[in-house]
């Protein structure tokens, strides 16, 4: 089998390259990008106005005539040290990706309502220690003796929160360990919980602020990207399964 990739002294055949891509977990990503470039993106129209808007950052209403547009593209290509064809190819792919993702915009609100709790955020105070007995003592001092949470965290906590007097966040509720997440779901600000054992550490936590998720523009973009990524993965898997089924049918 002939060599299809040379890298320094390394020479790989097609089979070796395929095995390497699969071994390093890159096969799915490669198939997704091939699926986009050969089956999806070519069907999305890109106009000169689209190119001008992306590359200039100006409204398409101010787009120059075709001759001036080519001059503009030539200047941009020189600026980025590309040929005009390379610049157009790169820009057109980005525009097509943007247009493709916008096809998922109508689904954003329903997706937000379905997964809203995943985007709630919290701020909380934390003391963590590897000593279970000391954790119980800390809980007693804060809850029953009224000791200052921040002062204790600064003096005794064993994590990075020590530098912020125990204050953590804001962070997504969904990113917290489940044992803490279920406690904070009620949104009961000021309540102290613990000791909670997490990976050998004993945690005392107090919910300080609960931020219910809102559909901001940032979150809207995140949801569009999430919907797109899910769709792309599903489409690629289906295409791969159909190919395997066809191969198997041919072997019968």
């Amino acid at each position: 089998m002939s060599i299809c990739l040379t890298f320094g002294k390394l020479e790989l055949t097609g089979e070796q390259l395929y095995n390497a891509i699969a071994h390093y977990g890159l096969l799915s990503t490669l198939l997704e990008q091939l699926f986009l470039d050969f089956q999806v993106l070519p069907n999305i129209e890109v106009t000169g106005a689209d190119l001008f808007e992306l590359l200039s950052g100006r409204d398409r209403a101010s787009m120059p005539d075709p001759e001036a547009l080519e001059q503009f593209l030539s200047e941009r290509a020189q600026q980025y040290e590309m040929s005009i064809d390379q610049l157009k190819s790169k820009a057109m792919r980005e525009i097509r990706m943007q247009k493709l993702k916008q096809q998922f915009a109508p689904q954003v609100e329903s997706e937000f309502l379905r997964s809203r709790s995943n985007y709630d955020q919290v701020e909380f105070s934390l003391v963590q220690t590897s000593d279970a007995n000391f954790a119980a003592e800390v809980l007693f001092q804060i809850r029953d003796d009224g000791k200052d949470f921040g002062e204790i965290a600064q003096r005794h906590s064993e994590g990075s929160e020590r530098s912020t007097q125990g204050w953590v966040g804001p962070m997504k509720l969904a990113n917290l360990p489940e044992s803490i997440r279920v406690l904070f779901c009620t949104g009961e600000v000021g309540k102290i919980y613990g000791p909670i054992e997490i990976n050998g550490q004993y945690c005392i936590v107090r919910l300080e602020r609960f931020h219910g998720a809102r559909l901001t523009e940032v979150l809207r973009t995140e949801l569009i990207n999430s919907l797109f990524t899910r769709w792309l993965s599903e489409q690629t898997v289906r295409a791969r399964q159909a190919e395997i089924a066809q191969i198997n049918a041919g072997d019968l």
Side-chain angles (χ1 to χ4, degrees), residues 210-223:
F210 186 94
H211 306 281
R214 295 182 300 108
L215 189 53
T216 62
E217 285 305 309
V218 172
L219 181 53
R220 184 180 294 274
T221 299
E222 184 177 339
L223 288 170

Side-chain angles (χ1 to χ4, degrees), residues 149-162:
F149 203 120
E151 182 179 342
I152 290 178
Q154 187 176 37
R155 293 177 59 189
H156 301 293
S157 196
E158 297 175 5
S160 59
E161 70 284 342
R162 184 172 185 168

Side-chain angles (χ1 to χ4, degrees), residues 79-220:
Q79 179 182 347
Y80 295 121
E81 299 182 344
M82 297 179 177
S83 68
I84 292 182
D85 287 342
Q86 287 174 328
L87 177 68
K88 283 184 176 180
S89 178
K90 182 178 176 63
M92 288 172 67
R93 190 180 196 277
E94 183 174 344
I95 291 166
R96 286 177 170 133
M97 286 291 290
Q98 290 175 357
K99 289 186 175 185
L100 176 59
K101 288 184 178 182
Q102 283 307 309
Q103 294 179 18
F104 297 91
Q107 303 175 37
V108 164
E109 291 191 9
S110 59
E111 178 67 11
F112 172 69
L113 293 175
R114 185 191 68 80
S115 59
R116 183 170 188 163
S117 61
N118 293 335
Y119 299 97
D120 290 335
Q121 293 190 328
V122 293
E123 296 177 62
F124 59 98
S125 292
L126 166 68
V127 173
Q128 58 177 325
T129 174
S130 55
D131 187 330
N133 293 328
F134 181 68
E137 176 62 22
V138 167
L139 176 64
F140 179 81
Q141 290 181 15
I142 296 173
R143 187 185 61 192
D144 300 330
D145 289 351
K147 293 291 183 67
D148 184 74
F149 203 120
E151 182 179 342
I152 290 178
Q154 187 176 37
R155 293 177 59 189
H156 301 293
S157 196
E158 297 175 5
S160 59
E161 70 284 342
R162 184 172 185 168
S163 63
T164 58
Q165 293 188 312
W167 195 277
V168 180
M171 66 183 300
K172 286 182 180 178
L173 187 61
N175 291 342
L176 291 172
E178 184 177 3
S179 53
I180 294 180
R181 183 171 66 248
V182 296
L183 298 174
F184 285 173
C185 277
T186 62
E188 192 171 347
V189 173
K191 189 165 183 179
I192 300 171
Y193 304 94
I196 305 164
E197 195 274 327
I198 302 174
N199 297 327
Q201 290 290 101
Y202 297 88
C203 302
I204 310 298
V205 294
R206 181 175 68 196
L207 181 60
E208 304 291 356
R209 295 173 185 169
F210 186 94
H211 306 281
R214 295 182 300 108
L215 189 53
T216 62
E217 285 305 309
V218 172
L219 181 53
R220 184 180 294 274

